[in-house]
Amino acid sequence: MWSSGNTLVPRNVTIRDNYLDMGGGSTTQSIFLSHNAAAYQVHGGSLAFENITVTGNVIVNGHDHGITLGTTRGAVVANNTVLAPPGSGLSAPRISIDGLSTGVVLTDNIAERIQYVSSPPAGWTVSGNVLVQSDAPGQPNYYGDLFVNAMSGITGTPENLRMLPDSPAALAGAAAGLVGVESADHGG
């Protein structure tokens, strides 16, 4: 969604339980709600989306805008899994929420990057998020230690993103419900 200078902005929007995968195609923005520069010039932080909920989504993409929210009053971004295809050399998608936003709940997501100014602004609830990486086996939160078969290529294969039951992400209760947790015997 893109507001382009008018004062009518979306309210009460829910984006839930989607699987967005670039597959063999080109990168693209995934979940993106923002205001253009003209809207900011006219209205500044007073122009804000209201009551936006983004939960349970799985995004496999190589574009910065995995989940991006412009200025928002009341946002819940929870239990999403946002990953880059490992070994692709593409940019890791991020979860990004404008620092002027208020009433933000940012919890239990899995992503390589979660971006806000430098620390969560006052009044935000931020917890249970797991930052992951696909470049350094043996280092914390490596894709291959979190998901059943992530390093074999995760684009187009959601079953490879089932979490291992003893992984930090599974133990923290993070991630989209679409991902699921592998059984203890790794049999599904």
Side-chain angles (χ1 to χ4, degrees):
M1 290 184 219
W2 181 260
S3 69
S4 57
N6 67 51
T7 58
L8 300 174
V9 294
R11 292 177 173 84
N12 305 317
V13 175
T14 298
I15 302 170
R16 177 180 31 227
D17 296 336
N18 295 285
Y19 182 76
L20 306 173
D21 187 333
M22 66 177 276
S26 298
T27 65
T28 185
Q29 297 174 26
S30 297
I31 297 173
F32 183 86
L33 287 78
S34 192
H35 313 290
N36 70 6
Y40 274 119
Q41 279 185 329
V42 173
H43 303 286
S46 67
L47 181 64
F49 298 103
E50 294 180 14
N51 302 320
I52 305 298
T53 301
V54 181
T55 58
N57 299 286
V58 175
I59 297 169
V60 180
N61 202 343
H63 191 286
D64 282 342
H65 296 294
I67 298 172
T68 298
L69 300 183
T71 306
T72 304
R73 284 190 292 271
V76 175
V77 178
N79 297 101
N80 298 287
T81 301
V82 181
L83 305 171
S88 66
L90 296 171
S91 177
R94 69 178 181 247
I95 297 173
S96 178
I97 302 173
D98 188 287
L100 295 175
S101 297
T102 59
V104 172
V105 175
L106 179 64
T107 59
D108 301 324
N109 298 285
I110 295 176
E112 285 195 43
R113 300 185 296 159
I114 297 178
Q115 180 177 342
Y116 29 75
V117 180
S118 59
S119 62
W124 286 28
T125 300
V126 178
S127 68
N129 298 297
V130 178
L131 297 178
V132 299
Q133 52 89 18
S134 63
D135 297 325
Q139 295 300 309
N141 296 336
Y142 175 64
Y143 281 19
D145 295 333
L146 302 176
F147 302 101
V148 171
N149 202 16
M151 300 316 289
S152 70
I154 56 176
T155 55
T157 54
E159 62 276 4
N160 287 339
L161 288 177
R162 293 183 59 76
M163 287 190 297
L164 294 170
D166 55 349
S167 74
L171 296 173
L178 295 172
V179 171
V181 177
E182 188 76 352
S183 68
D185 65 5
H186 302 293

